[in-house]
């Protein structure tokens, strides 16, 4: 998969994408991630990429005449805005992008990109949440991390990506590791039982409980609890 990122801070994005899973995937040839510096195609001595917004609005905005050459060359499909606009980025969208041949991300800065770039050179915008950032680089890195790990071969064990939060519309169950006793807090007995069927039911019940407590909207989106899920909650005690 090829992903192009257009930014005025290429080192920030490139360094992030050179570590951990993304870095290994790039070195293995699973991800062809190319980071482009918008300033490389500027025409003035100061390598300027922005200007004051029209209409005497405050702040700075990426200029179409200064940022459009790389945008046209890379045909960005998505803008990663600094402001909260665009389609909400979630696991469903991550899977959608991971299943494509590739895409580009144009990182907005300050007040964002000129509307003509957003409207005519991008297929859409992505928002990572109702927050305001100084630039789209952090948003782009979230997209890279979430999408990159779903590309076949990147995670090594494909099952690791299936048994996680949002994989079935629920939050993930609690995780424990060694030692079995940490400062008097113990790993639940069921996880040490070796009974895989019982463990699977415990995990499903805790996943339901956690989602009901922290993200009830996700349960509502699934149509509420089924009779079987309610019976499971009645049967399996909460995580102590």
């Amino acid at each position: 998969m090829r992903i192009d990122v257009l930014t005025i801070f290429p080192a920030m994005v490139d360094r992030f994408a050179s570590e951990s899973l993304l870095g290994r995937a790039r070195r293995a040839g699973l991800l062809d991630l190319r980071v482009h510096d918008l300033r490389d195609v500027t025409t003035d001595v100061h390598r300027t990429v922005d200007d004051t917004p029209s209409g005497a609005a405050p702040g700075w905005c990426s200029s179409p005449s200064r940022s459009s050459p790389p945008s046209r060359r890379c045909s960005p499909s998505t803008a990663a805005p600094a402001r909260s606009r665009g389609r909400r980025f979630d696991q469903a969208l991550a899977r959608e992008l991971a299943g494509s041949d590739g895409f580009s991300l144009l990182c907005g800065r300050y007040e964002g990109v000129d509307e003509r770039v957003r409207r005519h050179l991008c297929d859409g915008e992505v928002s990572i949440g109702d927050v305001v950032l100084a630039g789209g680089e952090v948003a782009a890195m979230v997209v890279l991390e979430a999408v990159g790990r779903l590309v076949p071969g990147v995670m090594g064990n494909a099952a690791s990506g299936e048994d996680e939060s949002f994989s079935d519309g629920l939050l993930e169950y609690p995780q424990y590791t060694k030692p079995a006793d940490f400062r008097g807090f113990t790993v639940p007995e069921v996880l040490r039982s070796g009974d895989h069927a019982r463990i699977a039911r415990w995990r499903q019940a805790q996943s339901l409980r956690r989602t009901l407590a922290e993200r009830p909207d996700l349960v509502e989106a699934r149509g509420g609890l089924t009779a079987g899920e309610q019976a499971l909650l009645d049967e399996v005690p909460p995580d102590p």
Side-chain angles (χ1 to χ4, degrees):
M1 169 179 281
R2 172 172 169 174
I3 304 175
D4 292 274
V5 181
L6 296 88
T7 169
I8 62 172
F9 294 111
M12 178 192 303
V13 178
D14 191 63
R15 180 172 180 178
F16 171 80
S18 297
E19 303 290 341
S20 190
L21 280 176
L22 291 180
R24 291 198 296 271
R26 293 177 78 182
R27 291 187 289 273
L30 296 171
L31 284 177
D32 180 9
L33 177 58
R34 309 183 188 188
V35 184
H36 307 269
D37 189 345
L38 287 167
R39 298 187 189 278
D40 285 346
V41 291
T42 53
T43 57
D44 67 312
V45 67
H46 299 294
R47 305 178 75 207
T48 308
V49 295
D50 51 28
D51 213 326
T52 54
S54 300
W60 292 86
C61 179
S62 296
S63 169
S65 61
R66 291 163 176 163
S67 63
S68 60
S71 300
R72 293 183 189 277
R73 185 179 64 205
C74 295
S75 300
S77 60
T78 306
R83 287 356 186 206
S84 299
R85 287 196 310 265
R87 179 178 172 183
R88 186 183 67 174
F89 185 68
D90 56 17
Q91 196 67 11
L93 180 52
R95 290 195 193 97
E96 182 181 318
L97 291 172
S100 68
D101 292 330
F103 58 94
S104 301
L105 292 169
L106 172 61
C107 300
R109 268 277 146 185
Y110 315 118
E111 299 304 316
V113 299
D114 187 284
E115 181 67 11
R116 290 162 292 182
V117 173
R118 188 198 69 82
R119 184 176 298 177
H120 301 296
L121 296 178
C122 297
D123 294 324
E125 287 183 292
V126 170
S127 171
I128 62 167
D130 294 335
V131 294
V132 177
L133 305 173
E137 286 75 18
V138 172
M141 288 187 279
V142 169
V143 174
L144 291 175
E145 174 85 2
V147 173
R149 65 198 302 277
L150 296 178
V151 174
V154 170
M155 290 190 66
N157 181 4
S160 297
E162 297 173 0
D163 195 20
E164 294 182 330
S165 289
F166 312 115
S167 60
D168 59 354
L170 299 173
L171 299 182
E172 191 177 13
Y173 49 80
Q175 296 283 3
Y176 292 90
T177 186
K178 297 177 181 64
D181 188 311
F182 172 68
R183 297 181 181 178
F185 304 106
T186 60
V187 174
E189 179 276 330
V190 61
L191 297 180
R192 294 176 278 138
S193 68
D195 186 334
H196 297 295
R198 185 179 167 213
I199 290 172
R201 291 179 63 77
W202 182 89
R203 285 174 170 167
Q204 176 68 7
Q206 306 316 322
S207 179
L208 286 166
R209 281 199 176 86
R210 175 171 284 182
T211 308
L212 283 169
E214 300 178 13
R215 290 291 305 275
D217 58 299
L218 295 177
V219 177
E220 183 179 346
R222 298 168 78 244
L225 294 176
T226 66
E229 289 171 338
Q230 185 59 62
L232 180 65
L233 290 176
D234 293 338
E235 171 195 340
V236 179
D239 185 27

